Amino acid sequence: MQVGPVSAMHEQDFRRAHELMTRAPLRLVQAVLPAMRARGAGSIVMISSIGGRIPAPHLLPYVAAKFALTGLSEGLAAELAPYGIRVTTVLPGLMRTGSHTAAEFAGQADREYAWFATAASMPLVSMDARRAARRIVRAAETGRRELVLTPLAKAAVLAHGAAPATTNRLLSLTARVLPSAGGAPEHGVPGVRAASRHRPGGPVHRLTALGRRAARAHNEPTAS
């Protein structure tokens, strides 16, 4: 995942995001479809994101790839239903997996890390990965077409569906308060390196305690 203003992103960032988040799942689906169609049954789960429904600022390579994956998943659900194949589109909000340490930051990398890592670590904003996994398995077992995870994500989807123009204005306001690219924008700064710029015991360090615990539990990179 690349985090930062679009002015600090490169075209290659978008290419990489699409290759990993859209084309790789497509290849997996293409590999299993012949056997599923032959037996007239199957279940496919596509892990998209709330970013695949609502264009979160400072995450545009990720958002563009996840929008494409959401469209692919919903299109597959429509086309494969006659063959007895169920497709579940999962739209998680922020997950507390510790993945912010593996993200890449652009622009003012330390400031981008501060807001993103904090949001991805807060219990009322992010969701525990194990709890999310249990809900995803249940959704696949019951054949749900769509699963939105976290209360904030559900509220955002409802708001965007009911008042898209208002939601877009709120997103524009959010983009204005996020860090600018700065005079000398950085690019591709690993989360672990961005984390090291924040003082141990400081505000960001304290607010991301749960995120660091999750990173260790899920084998994400951790600072030495």
Side-chain angles (χ1 to χ4, degrees), residues 1-21:
M1 182 185 293
Q2 299 96 341
V3 183
V6 66
S7 58
M9 296 295 176
H10 300 171
E11 182 179 345
Q12 185 61 21
D13 297 324
F14 291 84
R15 293 180 181 274
R16 288 174 56 207
H18 275 281
E19 181 64 29
L20 177 64
M21 301 177 202

PDB file of all heavy atoms in Angstrom, residues 1-21:
ATOM      1  N   MET A   1       0.842  -1.194   0.000  1.00  0.00           N
ATOM      2  CA  MET A   1       0.000   0.000   0.000  1.00  0.00           C
ATOM      3  C   MET A   1       0.876   1.242   0.000  1.00  0.00           C
ATOM      4  O   MET A   1       1.848   1.325   0.741  1.00  0.00           O
ATOM      5  CB  MET A   1      -0.913   0.000   1.241  1.00  0.00           C
ATOM      6  CG  MET A   1      -1.859   1.182   1.300  1.00  0.00           C
ATOM      7  SD  MET A   1      -2.808   1.214   2.823  1.00  0.00           S
ATOM      8  CE  MET A   1      -3.818  -0.228   2.618  1.00  0.00           C
ATOM      9  N   GLN A   2       0.545   2.197  -0.862  1.00  0.00           N
ATOM     10  CA  GLN A   2       1.260   3.467  -0.906  1.00  0.00           C
ATOM     11  C   GLN A   2       0.378   4.556  -0.295  1.00  0.00           C
ATOM     12  O   GLN A   2      -0.796   4.671  -0.648  1.00  0.00           O
ATOM     13  CB  GLN A   2       1.632   3.836  -2.343  1.00  0.00           C
ATOM     14  CG  GLN A   2       2.542   2.823  -3.016  1.00  0.00           C
ATOM     15  CD  GLN A   2       1.772   1.837  -3.864  1.00  0.00           C
ATOM     16  OE1 GLN A   2       0.575   1.668  -3.713  1.00  0.00           O
ATOM     17  NE2 GLN A   2       2.480   1.171  -4.769  1.00  0.00           N
ATOM     18  N   VAL A   3       0.959   5.320   0.614  1.00  0.00           N
ATOM     19  CA  VAL A   3       0.213   6.349   1.340  1.00  0.00           C
ATOM     20  C   VAL A   3       0.880   7.695   1.095  1.00  0.00           C
ATOM     21  O   VAL A   3       2.089   7.850   1.315  1.00  0.00           O
ATOM     22  CB  VAL A   3       0.185   6.056   2.854  1.00  0.00           C
ATOM     23  CG1 VAL A   3      -0.656   7.110   3.583  1.00  0.00           C
ATOM     24  CG2 VAL A   3      -0.359   4.658   3.123  1.00  0.00           C
ATOM     25  N   GLY A   4       0.099   8.669   0.646  1.00  0.00           N
ATOM     26  CA  GLY A   4       0.649  10.000   0.418  1.00  0.00           C
ATOM     27  C   GLY A   4      -0.178  10.737  -0.622  1.00  0.00           C
ATOM     28  O   GLY A   4      -1.075  10.159  -1.251  1.00  0.00           O
ATOM     29  N   PRO A   5       0.090  12.021  -0.824  1.00  0.00           N
ATOM     30  CA  PRO A   5      -0.671  12.806  -1.809  1.00  0.00           C
ATOM     31  C   PRO A   5      -0.353  12.359  -3.224  1.00  0.00           C
ATOM     32  O   PRO A   5       0.742  11.876  -3.517  1.00  0.00           O
ATOM     33  CB  PRO A   5      -0.192  14.242  -1.553  1.00  0.00           C
ATOM     34  CG  PRO A   5       1.165  14.084  -0.953  1.00  0.00           C
ATOM     35  CD  PRO A   5       1.134  12.824  -0.150  1.00  0.00           C
ATOM     36  N   VAL A   6      -1.306  12.525  -4.132  1.00  0.00           N
ATOM     37  CA  VAL A   6      -1.122  12.046  -5.496  1.00  0.00           C
ATOM     38  C   VAL A   6       0.049  12.757  -6.176  1.00  0.00           C
ATOM     39  O   VAL A   6       0.706  12.180  -7.054  1.00  0.00           O
ATOM     40  CB  VAL A   6      -2.430  12.238  -6.305  1.00  0.00           C
ATOM     41  CG1 VAL A   6      -2.762  13.718  -6.501  1.00  0.00           C
ATOM     42  CG2 VAL A   6      -2.351  11.513  -7.630  1.00  0.00           C
ATOM     43  N   SER A   7       0.345  13.993  -5.767  1.00  0.00           N
ATOM     44  CA  SER A   7       1.461  14.719  -6.380  1.00  0.00           C
ATOM     45  C   SER A   7       2.806  14.093  -6.058  1.00  0.00           C
ATOM     46  O   SER A   7       3.809  14.365  -6.733  1.00  0.00           O
ATOM     47  CB  SER A   7       1.457  16.189  -5.919  1.00  0.00           C
ATOM     48  OG  SER A   7       1.540  16.261  -4.511  1.00  0.00           O
ATOM     49  N   ALA A   8       2.861  13.240  -5.038  1.00  0.00           N
ATOM     50  CA  ALA A   8       4.112  12.557  -4.674  1.00  0.00           C
ATOM     51  C   ALA A   8       4.150  11.127  -5.195  1.00  0.00           C
ATOM     52  O   ALA A   8       5.120  10.405  -4.943  1.00  0.00           O
ATOM     53  CB  ALA A   8       4.289  12.562  -3.155  1.00  0.00           C
ATOM     54  N   MET A   9       3.095  10.691  -5.905  1.00  0.00           N
ATOM     55  CA  MET A   9       3.037   9.334  -6.431  1.00  0.00           C
ATOM     56  C   MET A   9       3.584   9.283  -7.859  1.00  0.00           C
ATOM     57  O   MET A   9       3.570  10.272  -8.581  1.00  0.00           O
ATOM     58  CB  MET A   9       1.583   8.827  -6.426  1.00  0.00           C
ATOM     59  CG  MET A   9       0.975   8.694  -5.050  1.00  0.00           C
ATOM     60  SD  MET A   9       1.816   7.425  -4.068  1.00  0.00           S
ATOM     61  CE  MET A   9       0.940   7.620  -2.504  1.00  0.00           C
ATOM     62  N   HIS A  10       4.038   8.104  -8.255  1.00  0.00           N
ATOM     63  CA  HIS A  10       4.529   7.866  -9.602  1.00  0.00           C
ATOM     64  C   HIS A  10       3.560   6.939 -10.332  1.00  0.00           C
ATOM     65  O   HIS A  10       2.801   6.189  -9.694  1.00  0.00           O
ATOM     66  CB  HIS A  10       5.912   7.220  -9.569  1.00  0.00           C
ATOM     67  CG  HIS A  10       6.947   8.055  -8.882  1.00  0.00           C
ATOM     68  ND1 HIS A  10       8.217   7.579  -8.580  1.00  0.00           N
ATOM     69  CD2 HIS A  10       6.904   9.331  -8.417  1.00  0.00           C
ATOM     70  CE1 HIS A  10       8.907   8.529  -7.966  1.00  0.00           C
ATOM     71  NE2 HIS A  10       8.135   9.596  -7.866  1.00  0.00           N
ATOM     72  N   GLU A  11       3.596   6.956 -11.653  1.00  0.00           N
ATOM     73  CA  GLU A  11       2.727   6.054 -12.414  1.00  0.00           C
ATOM     74  C   GLU A  11       2.978   4.598 -12.042  1.00  0.00           C
ATOM     75  O   GLU A  11       2.049   3.781 -11.977  1.00  0.00           O
ATOM     76  CB  GLU A  11       2.958   6.253 -13.915  1.00  0.00           C
ATOM     77  CG  GLU A  11       2.053   5.370 -14.767  1.00  0.00           C
ATOM     78  CD  GLU A  11       2.271   5.579 -16.251  1.00  0.00           C
ATOM     79  OE1 GLU A  11       2.893   6.581 -16.641  1.00  0.00           O
ATOM     80  OE2 GLU A  11       1.802   4.716 -17.025  1.00  0.00           O
ATOM     81  N   GLN A  12       4.229   4.269 -11.743  1.00  0.00           N
ATOM     82  CA  GLN A  12       4.562   2.899 -11.396  1.00  0.00           C
ATOM     83  C   GLN A  12       3.863   2.450 -10.111  1.00  0.00           C
ATOM     84  O   GLN A  12       3.579   1.258  -9.939  1.00  0.00           O
ATOM     85  CB  GLN A  12       6.086   2.751 -11.240  1.00  0.00           C
ATOM     86  CG  GLN A  12       6.561   1.335 -10.982  1.00  0.00           C
ATOM     87  CD  GLN A  12       6.207   0.378 -12.119  1.00  0.00           C
ATOM     88  OE1 GLN A  12       5.964   0.793 -13.259  1.00  0.00           O
ATOM     89  NE2 GLN A  12       6.163  -0.909 -11.819  1.00  0.00           N
ATOM     90  N   ASP A  13       3.571   3.380  -9.216  1.00  0.00           N
ATOM     91  CA  ASP A  13       2.838   3.026  -8.003  1.00  0.00           C
ATOM     92  C   ASP A  13       1.460   2.470  -8.351  1.00  0.00           C
ATOM     93  O   ASP A  13       1.001   1.500  -7.742  1.00  0.00           O
ATOM     94  CB  ASP A  13       2.689   4.253  -7.094  1.00  0.00           C
ATOM     95  CG  ASP A  13       4.016   4.788  -6.600  1.00  0.00           C
ATOM     96  OD1 ASP A  13       4.921   3.975  -6.347  1.00  0.00           O
ATOM     97  OD2 ASP A  13       4.145   6.021  -6.478  1.00  0.00           O
ATOM     98  N   PHE A  14       0.812   3.078  -9.329  1.00  0.00           N
ATOM     99  CA  PHE A  14      -0.501   2.606  -9.754  1.00  0.00           C
ATOM    100  C   PHE A  14      -0.391   1.257 -10.460  1.00  0.00           C
ATOM    101  O   PHE A  14      -1.232   0.368 -10.266  1.00  0.00           O
ATOM    102  CB  PHE A  14      -1.161   3.643 -10.669  1.00  0.00           C
ATOM    103  CG  PHE A  14      -1.569   4.902  -9.962  1.00  0.00           C
ATOM    104  CD1 PHE A  14      -0.658   5.929  -9.746  1.00  0.00           C
ATOM    105  CD2 PHE A  14      -2.867   5.061  -9.505  1.00  0.00           C
ATOM    106  CE1 PHE A  14      -1.031   7.094  -9.076  1.00  0.00           C
ATOM    107  CE2 PHE A  14      -3.255   6.221  -8.848  1.00  0.00           C
ATOM    108  CZ  PHE A  14      -2.332   7.229  -8.626  1.00  0.00           C
ATOM    109  N   ARG A  15       0.652   1.099 -11.270  1.00  0.00           N
ATOM    110  CA  ARG A  15       0.850  -0.179 -11.958  1.00  0.00           C
ATOM    111  C   ARG A  15       1.072  -1.319 -10.956  1.00  0.00           C
ATOM    112  O   ARG A  15       0.501  -2.409 -11.093  1.00  0.00           O
ATOM    113  CB  ARG A  15       2.038  -0.091 -12.919  1.00  0.00           C
ATOM    114  CG  ARG A  15       1.821   0.834 -14.111  1.00  0.00           C
ATOM    115  CD  ARG A  15       3.051   0.856 -15.001  1.00  0.00           C
ATOM    116  NE  ARG A  15       2.886   1.747 -16.124  1.00  0.00           N
ATOM    117  CZ  ARG A  15       2.313   1.409 -17.287  1.00  0.00           C
ATOM    118  NH1 ARG A  15       1.874   0.165 -17.435  1.00  0.00           N
ATOM    119  NH2 ARG A  15       2.202   2.275 -18.259  1.00  0.00           N
ATOM    120  N   ARG A  16       1.908  -1.074  -9.968  1.00  0.00           N
ATOM    121  CA  ARG A  16       2.189  -2.102  -8.963  1.00  0.00           C
ATOM    122  C   ARG A  16       0.937  -2.467  -8.187  1.00  0.00           C
ATOM    123  O   ARG A  16       0.675  -3.642  -7.911  1.00  0.00           O
ATOM    124  CB  ARG A  16       3.269  -1.609  -7.996  1.00  0.00           C
ATOM    125  CG  ARG A  16       4.677  -1.540  -8.572  1.00  0.00           C
ATOM    126  CD  ARG A  16       5.633  -0.898  -7.581  1.00  0.00           C
ATOM    127  NE  ARG A  16       5.624  -1.603  -6.315  1.00  0.00           N
ATOM    128  CZ  ARG A  16       5.920  -1.038  -5.135  1.00  0.00           C
ATOM    129  NH1 ARG A  16       6.234   0.246  -5.081  1.00  0.00           N
ATOM    130  NH2 ARG A  16       5.920  -1.743  -4.045  1.00  0.00           N
ATOM    131  N   ALA A  17       0.154  -1.459  -7.815  1.00  0.00           N
ATOM    132  CA  ALA A  17      -1.064  -1.715  -7.049  1.00  0.00           C
ATOM    133  C   ALA A  17      -2.038  -2.561  -7.861  1.00  0.00           C
ATOM    134  O   ALA A  17      -2.631  -3.515  -7.338  1.00  0.00           O
ATOM    135  CB  ALA A  17      -1.706  -0.391  -6.634  1.00  0.00           C
ATOM    136  N   HIS A  18      -2.213  -2.245  -9.137  1.00  0.00           N
ATOM    137  CA  HIS A  18      -3.136  -3.015  -9.970  1.00  0.00           C
ATOM    138  C   HIS A  18      -2.626  -4.441 -10.174  1.00  0.00           C
ATOM    139  O   HIS A  18      -3.422  -5.390 -10.187  1.00  0.00           O
ATOM    140  CB  HIS A  18      -3.339  -2.329 -11.322  1.00  0.00           C
ATOM    141  CG  HIS A  18      -4.403  -1.276 -11.298  1.00  0.00           C
ATOM    142  ND1 HIS A  18      -5.742  -1.577 -11.347  1.00  0.00           N
ATOM    143  CD2 HIS A  18      -4.328   0.074 -11.216  1.00  0.00           C
ATOM    144  CE1 HIS A  18      -6.456  -0.461 -11.303  1.00  0.00           C
ATOM    145  NE2 HIS A  18      -5.621   0.561 -11.218  1.00  0.00           N
ATOM    146  N   GLU A  19      -1.344  -4.601 -10.339  1.00  0.00           N
ATOM    147  CA  GLU A  19      -0.795  -5.943 -10.554  1.00  0.00           C
ATOM    148  C   GLU A  19      -1.060  -6.840  -9.343  1.00  0.00           C
ATOM    149  O   GLU A  19      -1.454  -8.000  -9.483  1.00  0.00           O
ATOM    150  CB  GLU A  19       0.718  -5.856 -10.821  1.00  0.00           C
ATOM    151  CG  GLU A  19       1.393  -7.188 -11.092  1.00  0.00           C
ATOM    152  CD  GLU A  19       0.905  -7.865 -12.365  1.00  0.00           C
ATOM    153  OE1 GLU A  19       0.488  -7.136 -13.298  1.00  0.00           O
ATOM    154  OE2 GLU A  19       0.923  -9.102 -12.418  1.00  0.00           O
ATOM    155  N   LEU A  20      -0.856  -6.298  -8.156  1.00  0.00           N
ATOM    156  CA  LEU A  20      -1.016  -7.094  -6.937  1.00  0.00           C
ATOM    157  C   LEU A  20      -2.478  -7.250  -6.527  1.00  0.00           C
ATOM    158  O   LEU A  20      -2.911  -8.348  -6.158  1.00  0.00           O
ATOM    159  CB  LEU A  20      -0.231  -6.433  -5.793  1.00  0.00           C
ATOM    160  CG  LEU A  20      -0.347  -7.105  -4.429  1.00  0.00           C
ATOM    161  CD1 LEU A  20       0.238  -8.503  -4.474  1.00  0.00           C
ATOM    162  CD2 LEU A  20       0.346  -6.275  -3.355  1.00  0.00           C
ATOM    163  N   MET A  21      -3.242  -6.171  -6.598  1.00  0.00           N
ATOM    164  CA  MET A  21      -4.574  -6.172  -5.992  1.00  0.00           C
ATOM    165  C   MET A  21      -5.708  -6.478  -6.960  1.00  0.00           C
ATOM    166  O   MET A  21      -6.825  -6.779  -6.514  1.00  0.00           O
ATOM    167  CB  MET A  21      -4.836  -4.816  -5.321  1.00  0.00           C
ATOM    168  CG  MET A  21      -3.841  -4.474  -4.242  1.00  0.00           C
ATOM    169  SD  MET A  21      -4.158  -2.834  -3.550  1.00  0.00           S
ATOM    170  CE  MET A  21      -2.541  -2.452  -2.862  1.00  0.00           C
TER     171      MET A  21
END
